[in-house]
Amino acid sequence: METTLSIVKPDGTSKNVIGEVIGRFEKNGIKVVGLRMIHMSISQAEGFYYVHRERPFFGSLTEFMSSGPCVVMALQGEGAIAKVRGIMGATNPDEAEEGTIRKDFADNIEHNIVHGSDSQESADYELNYFFNSLQIFG
Ligand code: CMP
């Protein structure tokens, strides 16, 4: 059993697809065990995406992530880290498979609707970034 962190990004909340994203996880056997709506400051987004701080897109990514509200979720299930990433589809929607969240809703590689932790190490950091142990019910 794994617990991972997912975010409906500001483009997802403004496109009104919060329920659609959560529904796709739930229909695939993933359980929501923590949920909050937040609006990150630039510095909070920078802390969240710290591993990407040297990337050329870091400034634009953190600006985008602090441009509106996000829904952050703790998700649990067998092999949840890889499963959630499969349901989301490739980072670049042009490369995402049919039926994935990003194929269906994302505009481009930056405005790609949803985030999911890419490893156990990332999941631990990212879950702790937004939730304390009393806010996760799994
Ligand atoms: P996410 O899964 O949230 O992890 C890091 C994010 O950086 C990624 O989704 C994209 O939104 C963004 N990203 C990754 N590569 C690029 C890129 N080449 N240009 C712009 N944004 C990117």
Side-chain angles (χ1 to χ4, degrees):
M1 194 62 80
E2 289 175 347
T3 307
T4 188
L5 187 280
S6 179
I7 304 178
V8 182
K9 298 185 178 187
D11 55 338
T13 61
S14 76
K15 282 183 175 178
N16 231 11
V17 294
I18 297 168
E20 181 72 37
V21 170
I22 294 174
R24 289 187 184 209
F25 294 140
E26 290 185 329
K27 282 186 200 108
N28 284 282
I30 296 288
K31 192 171 177 58
V32 178
V33 293
L35 187 77
R36 295 174 56 204
M37 188 174 238
I38 58 161
H39 189 150
M40 283 187 268
S41 64
I42 289 251
S43 65
Q44 286 170 332
E46 287 172 348
F48 179 75
Y49 279 120
Y50 177 78
V51 292
H52 296 304
R53 66 195 177 283
E54 309 289 355
R55 303 286 193 95
F57 56 81
F58 185 66
S60 160
L61 173 64
T62 53
E63 191 176 318
F64 165 60
M65 289 300 287
S66 58
S67 68
C70 292
V71 172
V72 293
M73 291 172 269
L75 300 175
Q76 198 168 70
E78 292 289 338
I81 295 170
K83 201 165 179 182
V84 163
R85 288 176 67 79
I87 297 163
M88 293 191 312
T91 306
N92 185 344
D94 294 338
E95 294 163 12
E97 281 181 43
E98 294 294 333
T100 61
I101 293 169
R102 285 165 169 163
K103 180 71 177 183
D104 290 346
F105 301 114
D107 290 333
N108 55 55
I109 194 167
E110 181 170 276
H111 299 162
N112 64 355
I113 301 286
V114 68
H115 167 83
S117 309
D118 64 3
S119 65
Q120 187 64 68
E121 188 189 3
S122 302
D124 292 344
Y125 176 80
E126 295 177 359
L127 286 163
N128 275 316
Y129 200 78
F130 294 119
F131 295 98
N132 66 43
S133 60
L134 297 175
Q135 296 170 320
I136 293 182
F137 302 90

